Amino acid sequence: MNDTQTSETQSLKPFIILWSGQAASLFGSQLVQFALIWWLTTTTGSATILAFASLMGLLPQVVLGPFVGVLVDRWNRRMTMLLADALVAVATFGLALLFWAGSVQTWHVFVILFIRALGGVFHWPAMQSSTSLMVPKEFLTRVQGFNQMLQGGLNIAAAPLGALLLGYFPLQGILLIDLVTAVIAIGALLVIHVPQPTRAPSTGAATFLSEFRADLSAGLRYVWSWPALMLLMLLAVIINLVINPAFALLPLLVTDHFGGQAIHLGTLEAMFGFGVLIGGLLLGFWGGFKRRIITSLTALIGMGIGVLLLGLAPANWMWLGFGAAFIIGCNMSLTNGPLHAIFQSTIEPDMQGRVFTLLGSAASAMAPIGLIIAGPVADWLGVRSWFIFGGGITLLLGLAASSCPCCCTSKTA
């Protein structure tokens, strides 16, 4: 290793420690998410209960996201992540005690799912906005590639491992595993320095509420004044509207169209996770095209083709469905990774918390709306219709954005 490589490794060391701790925590969270949903399924057998549980996970991001972003930009980001991790750990420990005592109720699980989502609303923008201050710009795309690779690996491993562990441990044992991984994440935060963005000094005359409103307005003006960012936000909103319901309808596609069983659904989801893993690995080592936006938009076209293939696959061509799931996952990594890197490298550091939460809230709000629309459409025209519609819209949006000068300006490259 030469001196330049040694220097780069040393400069990335705090981020590597932070990333490793958070990766461990994310692994524990995925196990708990699977275990709690499985408990709700086997205990209640109610689709309404499962839908309400999903809503508990969405509400904090949709409702509080824009306001949380203002706080993340004002507060110490290292302390924000510490408190978010600690909140989730304490809530998880409390639920473990309830399971151990045999007194847990369904509403207890709803509350914990809400608290865990609330912690994530604060943690995610703090982590994303800290990344741009801890990682040199030329490495941001690769870092996002490894993030996508991690997510793909968890998609492959978490569900089967969670099912295996539930065969050997009571549910409180799974919760304690998550508690251990949260402690690892907190320990990593305690031994590193997380830089803070430079903020304009407060005049001291304004109240906290007036400063809060001013910061929120500044974030909205910042997004509104950047046409390319507005278009990319609109793109994300539409994609979430048409693609998220397709993933929710996968079980029906497997049973009603392909005539498959649970093993086929598991294989389909594993192929998607494998695609996310390979796409993240490719992005992590390759880094994408020199102009990041070209990588994202090209992959968006590929993702649309994958969803179309999944909807158009004949009933006796399940293997094509597996291949389409891999294509979707791989291109999803190559779409999201460069976009996140673009935002991290071009948005002002003291604005990133607000912008990231605005993006997340706008996109997340589309999930329930899309489900409300997709359900009746799938019942009326058949489940394949939504995949064909969603894939076609995604493909057209990718082609349109690729030819849009505003989206491909040098600022977003």
Side-chain angles (χ1 to χ4, degrees):
M1 183 179 292
N2 58 40
D3 291 342
T4 301
Q5 291 173 317
T6 302
S7 176
E8 290 173 349
T9 302
Q10 289 297 324
S11 67
L12 286 170
K13 185 177 179 181
F15 178 76
I16 292 172
I17 293 172
L18 173 63
W19 188 89
S20 300
Q22 295 307 314
S25 180
L26 186 59
F27 171 71
S29 295
Q30 292 278 68
L31 288 180
V32 164
Q33 192 74 11
F34 175 85
L36 292 180
I37 294 300
W38 182 252
W39 182 84
L40 288 173
T41 302
T42 55
T43 303
T44 69
S46 168
T48 302
I49 290 292
L50 292 180
F52 193 75
S54 298
L55 186 62
M56 289 297 100
L58 285 172
L59 273 179
Q61 175 65 63
V62 174
V63 177
L64 301 176
F67 308 103
V68 167
V70 177
L71 298 175
V72 168
D73 283 335
R74 295 177 64 87
W75 292 347
N76 182 289
R77 288 172 179 173
R78 174 172 171 267
M79 188 58 65
T80 300
M81 287 186 280
L82 272 170
L83 291 176
D85 282 335
L87 173 67
V88 171
V90 170
T92 301
F93 182 67
L95 186 62
L97 290 179
L98 289 173
F99 271 105
W100 178 76
S103 56
V104 70
Q105 302 292 325
T106 301
W107 71 267
H108 294 145
V109 177
F110 290 155
V111 170
I112 296 303
L113 289 173
F114 181 87
I115 292 174
R116 291 176 67 86
L118 181 63
V121 169
F122 282 90
H123 192 285
W124 182 80
M127 178 71 181
Q128 290 295 311
S129 51
S130 296
T131 300
S132 61
L133 296 174
M134 300 177 73
V135 177
K137 287 187 178 182
E138 62 269 22
F139 290 116
L140 284 173
T141 304
R142 287 185 169 88
V143 166
Q144 290 300 332
F146 289 123
N147 284 341
Q148 298 297 320
M149 181 181 69
L150 172 66
Q151 191 62 56
L154 291 175
N155 285 342
I156 296 171
L161 183 58
L164 178 65
L165 290 174
L166 282 172
Y168 292 94
F169 298 101
L171 202 143
Q172 58 264 33
I174 309 296
L175 293 172
L176 291 178
I177 292 174
D178 182 50
L179 185 62
V180 171
T181 60
V183 170
I184 293 172
I186 292 170
L189 282 164
L190 290 174
V191 300
I192 62 168
H193 169 70
V194 177
Q196 287 291 112
T198 302
R199 283 182 54 87
S202 172
T203 61
T207 64
F208 171 80
L209 186 59
S210 62
E211 287 190 346
F212 183 95
R213 285 198 298 264
D215 284 352
L216 180 59
S217 298
L220 292 170
R221 286 196 304 270
Y222 186 88
V223 173
W224 185 258
S225 66
W226 185 0
L229 182 60
M230 284 292 295
L231 284 174
L232 289 175
M233 180 184 289
L234 179 62
L235 194 67
V237 166
I238 297 174
I239 295 300
N240 274 272
L241 179 66
V242 299
I243 293 296
N244 277 352
F247 290 114
L249 294 171
L250 269 179
L252 284 177
L253 184 72
V254 170
T255 56
D256 293 358
H257 176 59
F258 290 113
Q261 305 297 324
I263 185 64
H264 299 103
L265 176 60
T267 304
L268 196 68
E269 292 182 349
M271 288 301 295
F272 170 77
F274 187 56
V276 173
L277 175 66
I278 296 301
L281 192 64
L282 178 62
L283 190 62
F285 287 102
W286 166 44
F289 296 115
K290 186 175 181 179
R291 300 183 66 202
R292 294 165 177 154
I293 194 66
I294 299 301
T295 307
S296 286
L297 295 180
T298 303
L300 183 62
I301 293 170
M303 191 164 70
I305 293 172
V307 177
L308 267 175
L309 281 176
L310 191 54
L312 293 172
N316 59 341
W317 283 22
M318 187 71 184
W319 60 268
L320 182 57
F322 294 151
F326 174 83
I327 292 171
I328 296 168
C330 186
N331 282 286
M332 186 172 288
S333 285
L334 294 171
T335 299
N336 292 334
L339 276 181
H340 290 157
I342 289 169
F343 295 149
Q344 288 172 331
S345 62
T346 54
I347 297 169
E348 295 298 328
D350 65 330
M351 284 283 181
Q352 289 188 9
R354 279 165 279 184
V355 174
F356 287 149
T357 50
L358 282 170
L359 285 168
S361 296
S364 298
M366 291 300 103
I369 296 174
L371 285 168
I372 290 171
I373 298 171
V377 169
D379 287 337
W380 177 37
L381 299 175
V383 68
R384 298 172 69 196
S385 64
W386 192 266
F387 287 85
I388 296 170
F389 169 73
I393 292 294
T394 303
L395 175 59
L396 291 175
L397 284 174
L399 291 171
S402 298
S403 60
C404 175
C406 189
C407 283
C408 298
T409 57
S410 58
K411 190 176 181 182
T412 60

